[in-house]
């Protein structure tokens, strides 16, 4: 059974810091992996989608990598800003999406 | 841009009431999903649909039903609401294979008293 883990559950960093969020999964037989951002009380906003044949995707200050063999993905946020404060979730695509429980990020001004 | 619209952002219902949660997407996506999100439990899949009039049970279908009469609309129905169905309900859609990119609505916060 596929399990998705995100550690740490919460993270506080000063503004301007580069940071890495982690997502690990137990079964490497995946179609893709998607990173989302969720603001309090809102829905999920898609950030990046990495297909299983890809190693990474970039969008602006965000870079996501995927290592299927080790069951890991990282989301790198460069030059963090207070507006980046949110919960970040990863979801692993098998025959359906399996979600991690998220990392709650706070960027301090 | 893909838009997934959930008709109600906040609802308060009483135990035993029938509740309809509506979701509409405007990108001609084949696949639509209903999740609920609870603190500490993450997102759990209730039902999904790969085509009009088709539906499949997710991980927690008990107490829920769905309807997909038109491609753009996917409704979640609570036949007799109970307090343990108080939650955030999230609708999503995608195209292509089962795991194409997911797009979510803003969520519906349901409170059952």
């Amino acid at each position: 059974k596929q399990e998705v883990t995100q550690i740490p559950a919460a993270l506080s960093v000063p503004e301007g810091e580069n940071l890495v969020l982690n997502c690990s999964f137990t079964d490497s037989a995946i179609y893709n992996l998607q990173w989302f951002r969720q603001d309090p009380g809102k829905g999920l906003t898609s950030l990046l989608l990495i297909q299983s044949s890809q190693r990474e995707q970039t969008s602006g200050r965000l870079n996501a990598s995927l290592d299927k063999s080790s069951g890991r993905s990282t989301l790198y946020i460069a030059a963090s800003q207070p507006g980046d404060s949110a919960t970040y979730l990863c979801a692993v695509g098998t025959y359906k999406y399996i979600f991690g429980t998220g990392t709650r990020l706070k960027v301090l001004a | 841009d893909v838009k997934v619209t959930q008709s109600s952002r906040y609802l308060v219902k009483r135990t035993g009431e029938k509740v309809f949660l509506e979701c509409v997407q405007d990108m001609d996506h084949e696949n639509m999903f209903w999740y609920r999100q609870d603190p500490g439990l993450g997102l759990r899949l209730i039902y999904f649909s790969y085509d009009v009039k088709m539906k499949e049970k997710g991980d927690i279908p008990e107490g829920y039903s769905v309807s997909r009469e038109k491609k753009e609309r996917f409704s979640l129905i609570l036949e007799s609401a109970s307090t343990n169905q108080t939650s955030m309900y999230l609708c999503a859609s995608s195209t292509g294979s089962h795991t194409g990119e997911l797009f979510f609505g803003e969520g519906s916060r349901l409170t059952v008293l």
Side-chain angles (χ1 to χ4, degrees), chain B:
Chain B
D1 283 350
V2 175
K3 192 163 179 65
V4 179
T5 303
Q6 294 184 228
S7 56
S8 303
R9 291 277 286 124
Y10 301 95
L11 302 94
V12 180
K13 299 292 182 180
R14 297 208 173 271
T15 301
E17 279 192 80
K18 190 169 186 176
V19 181
F20 292 87
L21 299 179
E22 303 283 341
C23 176
V24 177
Q25 50 92 6
D26 66 358
M27 284 301 291
D28 202 36
H29 284 176
E30 297 89 354
N31 314 315
M32 297 189 75
F33 308 82
W34 275 107
Y35 294 86
R36 65 177 283 178
Q37 185 178 32
D38 301 286
L41 296 177
L43 273 81
R44 294 179 291 168
L45 182 62
I46 305 172
Y47 267 97
F48 56 106
S49 169
Y50 292 135
D51 201 351
V52 176
K53 296 194 185 293
M54 292 184 65
K55 60 185 179 183
E56 292 194 41
K57 294 179 179 179
D59 300 317
I60 52 164
E62 297 78 19
Y64 304 94
S65 62
V66 291
S67 172
R68 193 162 181 205
E69 296 296 318
K70 294 185 177 181
K71 191 175 185 180
E72 68 270 18
R73 187 180 298 270
F74 192 35
S75 302
L76 180 69
I77 304 155
L78 288 67
E79 294 288 342
S80 178
S82 62
T83 54
N84 63 12
Q85 292 178 310
T86 292
S87 185
M88 170 70 97
Y89 289 88
L90 294 163
C91 175
S93 72
S94 71
T95 191
S97 66
H98 294 186
T99 53
E101 186 173 4
L102 271 177
F103 295 91
F104 279 86
E106 283 289 287
S108 298
R109 169 73 65 183
L110 172 66
T111 301
V112 183
L113 302 175

Side-chain angles (χ1 to χ4, degrees), chain A residues 31-32 34 36 38 41-49 51 89 93-101, chain B residues 9-10 35 37 40-43 45 50 58-59 88 90 98-107 109:
Chain A
Y31 293 111
N32 56 34
Q34 194 167 351
F36 297 88
Q38 186 176 30
K42 299 287 185 68
L44 279 66
T45 299
S46 177
L47 296 174
L48 290 164
L49 171 70
Q51 301 295 343
L89 296 100
T94 57
Y95 71 96
K96 62 178 182 178
Y97 271 110
I98 308 295
F99 285 82
T101 51
Chain B
R9 291 277 286 124
Y10 301 95
Y35 294 86
Q37 185 178 32
L41 296 177
L43 273 81
L45 182 62
Y50 292 135
D59 300 317
M88 170 70 97
L90 294 163
H98 294 186
T99 53
E101 186 173 4
L102 271 177
F103 295 91
F104 279 86
E106 283 289 287
R109 169 73 65 183

